[in-house]
Amino acid sequence: MGRKHDAVVAAEPVAVPSPAGEAPNSPKLKSEKKKKKHKNKDKHNQEQNGTASPKRKLDEIQPRNAAESDKGKKKKKKHKRDSEENVEETKAESVDGAGGGGGGGDESVTDGHVAVTGKNAGEAKYAPVKSFAGSGLPENVLECCKGFEKPSPIQSRAWPFLLDGRDLIGIAATGSGKTLAFGIPAVMHVLSKRKNKAVKGRNPLCLVLSPTRELAQQISDVMCDAGKSCGVESVCLYGGTSKGPQISSLKSGIDIVIGTPGRIQDLIEMGVCSLKDVSFVVLDEADRMLDMGFEQVVRSILGQTCSVRQMVMFSATWPLPVHQLAQEFMDPNPVKVVVGSEDLAANHDVMQIVEVLDDRARDNRLVALLEKYHKSQRNRVLIFVLYKMETTRVERMLQQGGWKVVSIHGDKAQHDRTKALSLFKNGSCPLMIATDVAARGLDIPDVEVVINYSFPLTTEDYVHRIGRTGRSGKKGVAHTFFTQQNKGLAGELVNVLREAGQIVPDALLKFGTHVKKKESKLYGAHFKEISADAPKSQKITFDNSDED
Ligand code: AMP
């Protein structure tokens, strides 16, 4: 008697947009005003760099603003790294003993643009892994990394903690290698648990939850690839497709389940998916997973897993309202690894152009922009809209104008969603319109331009959307329409533009630069800001009564 939860698994808003001014903001931006004067560099002459080396270097592509959150206030001391042969000396590294904090030993380690905070974070055993050869990981597990030169910064910092069984919050953009940052430890978790145990009819040991079906499939592809050289099997469970093959996979015995919450919950209720042995859980795009729409079902699913489990959360943005919630699910002392900035910040490889215009002028302007950005009709351009209906209308308008375009939104049959995405990815139709269902986590190569036809409901979503371009060290352009209706988000957008050194149009400034205090969807205006690495909080053990 599986209840349908799939409606929950949609990244689009289902209600009318919040009135201007009610949208949340990033509280950390409050301090922005007090900080240095911003210089708006003219980036509009930046050329798009299309070169790609055969071995990709991820650490070149995320130098956003160096993580400085804990700097300044605390006394720094040089941390001497263990000179294990497999770990290189980290240059310019500082370790802050934060003291207190849930049992003491909390440390903050800053290494270039990566900041690590958590209990004993500065210990030698948690030193960054600088090479695959020196990682200590078995060769067959590293088979999937063969095409890469070295571990990406998030992998380099997260692996030692995750392999040691620590709970971890990873803040890193999609495209930074975060899937393998949790994927390799997940495979290792399975291998260590399976040792000397029967493998037939096995229940899964790891669970990865994703807010969208497309992201789940993408993660599953990576996990299947990572597992095939070492016999670790994964299955992707997501809605909109037949349950039959998913049930068969589960019955044949599987190691890792990747999926969207709705379908997983359905299969649990049907009695065909047992998570009782799951002791390694990942919430990808964790802020979205803990968003109001997902919280109950996530809670319920976690209630089915082992009470003693390793919990991992990854996200590119980390708004304060989810910090407290995240704490409920984790060890009181999770390690936090931040690549780039924890503050709301856009990828600096993306040139952001914001155009303030009238609502009704957008159609003509969109066509003009496509003439400019998509003249060849060969380069990938992604247009974001807010609502499913809007997708259909804009798609029809463009098709009538002779543009070849596909679209993706939550009301489409999964088969059509998958087909549209693959046509866009393989270049058969390099123009796609999407709702925010495509804003998160998707690793689509070479998206040259993102056009925000409608501004999203939150600035976090804006950052996610424009993050679809400017990936793998390439430059990208994000052209955004901003209307009177969006004025409540003007202040936050101004801050994001300034932080990235982009031009702030006068017309945008006219809406004011006030940034409203963020409200928690769960705790409302009385929400108390607590950072993720704050001490206290108890790990909650779920039982069946948590099910809704
Ligand atoms: P993400 O979506 O963050 O998992 O990033 C995925 C992209 O990063 C894929 O294109 C991977 O091929 C690539 N990737 C993963 N690990 C590395 C690495 N160590 N070096 C270079 N690229 C990597």
Side-chain angles (χ1 to χ4, degrees):
M1 286 191 25
R3 276 175 296 147
K4 294 269 176 269
H5 292 273
D6 282 359
V8 179
V9 187
E12 296 119 340
V14 286
V16 280
S18 329
E22 283 188 6
N25 69 44
S26 168
K28 290 200 170 179
L29 293 175
K30 286 184 288 187
S31 61
E32 285 286 306
K33 290 180 201 158
K34 293 176 205 154
K35 288 185 191 165
K36 65 195 181 279
K37 282 207 166 165
H38 302 285
K39 272 192 188 166
N40 295 335
K41 287 177 232 152
D42 186 355
K43 289 201 170 181
H44 289 220
N45 291 327
Q46 280 177 350
E47 280 179 18
Q48 295 198 24
N49 173 2
T51 51
S53 60
K55 289 205 171 195
R56 297 175 52 200
K57 295 180 183 180
L58 283 185
D59 47 351
E60 286 170 5
I61 63 169
Q62 48 235 342
R64 309 204 307 205
N65 56 334
E68 293 176 334
S69 42
D70 293 313
K71 274 201 247 163
K73 284 178 255 165
K74 300 166 192 166
K75 197 176 75 186
K76 288 174 191 161
K77 68 179 182 199
K78 225 18 189 179
H79 174 70
K80 194 91 181 137
R81 287 244 165 266
D82 186 307
S83 58
E84 284 172 55
E85 59 167 279
N86 57 7
V87 178
E88 287 173 22
E89 197 76 21
T90 308
K91 77 173 166 317
E93 178 188 285
S94 66
V95 178
D96 295 346
D106 268 20
E107 288 171 358
S108 184
V109 183
T110 305
D111 173 13
H113 60 279
V114 186
V116 182
T117 322
K119 195 173 176 189
N120 305 330
E123 267 188 23
K125 66 175 175 176
Y126 298 128
V129 174
K130 297 285 182 171
S131 70
F132 291 119
S135 66
L137 290 160
E139 256 178 51
N140 58 346
V141 172
L142 287 171
E143 190 69 18
C144 59
C145 298
K146 257 190 349 215
F148 309 134
E149 193 179 47
K150 59 180 181 182
S152 70
I154 186 69
Q155 292 162 1
S156 154
R157 296 312 311 238
W159 284 348
F161 293 103
L162 291 179
L163 293 169
D164 194 39
R166 299 278 300 264
D167 283 5
L168 182 139
I169 296 169
I171 316 288
T174 299
S176 59
K178 69 187 168 86
T179 311
L180 286 175
F182 62 74
I184 298 271
V187 166
M188 290 301 292
H189 185 83
V190 170
L191 292 176
S192 74
K193 290 257 164 184
R194 291 265 179 257
K195 230 186 252 173
N196 308 322
K197 284 195 189 145
V199 288
K200 279 285 158 215
R202 58 203 192 269
N203 283 323
L205 296 170
C206 296
L207 170 71
V208 183
L209 288 176
S210 147
T212 68
R213 297 167 185 175
E214 284 73 16
L215 180 57
Q217 285 170 278
Q218 184 178 294
I219 297 166
S220 171
D221 290 345
V222 174
M223 295 308 295
C224 288
D225 184 49
K228 75 173 178 259
S229 52
C230 44
V232 172
E233 288 182 71
S234 298
V235 68
C236 191
L237 309 178
Y238 60 97
T241 46
S242 150
K243 288 181 181 138
Q246 297 174 2
I247 294 172
S248 303
S249 295
L250 287 167
K251 280 190 176 151
S252 71
I254 215 79
D255 301 301
I256 301 177
V257 161
I258 299 121
T260 50
R263 174 56 61 93
I264 291 177
Q265 181 75 342
D266 270 357
L267 294 172
I268 290 173
E269 287 172 3
M270 286 171 70
V272 291
C273 178
S274 168
L275 301 181
K276 71 179 177 51
D277 294 336
V278 165
S279 47
F280 187 101
V281 179
V282 181
L283 301 192
D284 199 13
E285 298 300 340
D287 61 344
R288 178 74 182 125
M289 295 301 312
L290 297 179
D291 195 301
M292 185 108 139
F294 292 100
E295 194 232 341
Q296 284 310 319
V297 68
V298 168
R299 209 176 262 282
S300 167
I301 290 170
L302 291 182
Q304 304 289 319
T305 64
C306 286
S307 55
V308 180
R309 57 169 184 252
Q310 191 176 355
M311 194 75 206
V312 187
M313 301 197 187
F314 268 87
S315 196
T317 50
W318 197 237
L320 276 166
V322 301
H323 288 193
Q324 189 166 20
L325 198 52
Q327 275 195 306
E328 278 188 33
F329 299 102
M330 304 194 96
D331 185 272
N333 275 301
V335 181
K336 189 163 65 173
V337 180
V338 182
V339 176
S341 170
E342 201 188 344
D343 292 349
L344 186 60
N347 178 354
H348 285 198
D349 283 328
V350 179
M351 177 173 72
Q352 301 176 58
I353 303 167
V354 174
E355 196 175 331
V356 178
L357 78 184
D358 188 77
D359 229 11
R360 288 155 302 176
R362 290 182 302 166
D363 283 2
N364 286 343
R365 190 63 191 132
L366 176 63
V367 172
L369 288 184
L370 289 179
E371 299 285 358
K372 175 181 169 190
Y373 293 128
H374 195 54
K375 210 172 175 57
S376 69
Q377 304 217 4
R378 291 215 193 102
N379 58 334
R380 278 193 196 81
V381 175
L382 181 53
I383 303 168
F384 277 107
V385 295
L386 198 50
Y387 299 104
K388 300 163 190 169
M389 300 275 279
E390 206 175 21
T391 319
T392 314
R393 186 185 66 71
V394 176
E395 183 178 20
R396 209 166 285 153
M397 184 270 291
L398 291 179
Q399 280 166 343
Q400 280 163 359
W403 296 95
K404 192 178 167 203
V405 56
V406 289
S407 70
I408 178 170
H409 61 75
D411 270 356
K412 277 200 153 186
Q414 188 54 38
H415 168 262
D416 295 330
R417 278 166 68 161
T418 308
K419 190 169 164 205
L421 191 58
S422 94
L423 290 173
F424 184 63
K425 271 187 168 177
N426 70 24
S428 315
C429 184
L431 181 61
M432 184 165 88
I433 307 176
T435 56
D436 285 294
V437 80
R440 294 235 174 193
L442 294 188
D443 185 37
I444 305 165
D446 301 326
V447 175
E448 275 187 16
V449 182
V450 164
I451 300 175
N452 285 312
Y453 176 90
S454 306
F455 199 79
L457 294 182
T458 69
T459 318
E460 277 86 5
D461 285 334
Y462 169 78
V463 168
H464 281 284
R465 283 180 178 189
I466 72 169
R468 298 311 99 211
T469 181
R471 299 163 68 78
S472 309
K474 297 182 182 172
K475 302 289 179 193
V477 175
H479 199 121
T480 300
F481 295 158
F482 195 92
T483 69
Q484 171 79 23
Q485 262 201 320
N486 315 123
K487 70 175 182 189
L489 293 172
E492 285 185 36
L493 179 59
V494 166
N495 285 335
V496 170
L497 292 170
R498 282 181 173 160
E499 191 281 332
Q502 304 289 310
I503 288 177
V504 181
D506 287 343
L508 183 62
L509 286 170
K510 282 191 186 137
F511 289 122
T513 52
H514 175 68
V515 171
K516 279 190 102 181
K517 183 177 178 337
K518 206 173 194 98
E519 274 190 18
S520 164
K521 288 179 189 167
L522 294 163
Y523 306 109
H526 303 295
F527 157 69
K528 195 172 160 219
E529 293 174 5
I530 298 177
S531 76
D533 46 351
K536 71 203 165 286
S537 100
Q538 288 173 311
K539 187 165 184 163
I540 288 184
T541 304
F542 296 94
D543 57 38
N544 290 343
S545 62
D546 281 312
E547 285 201 41
D548 53 358

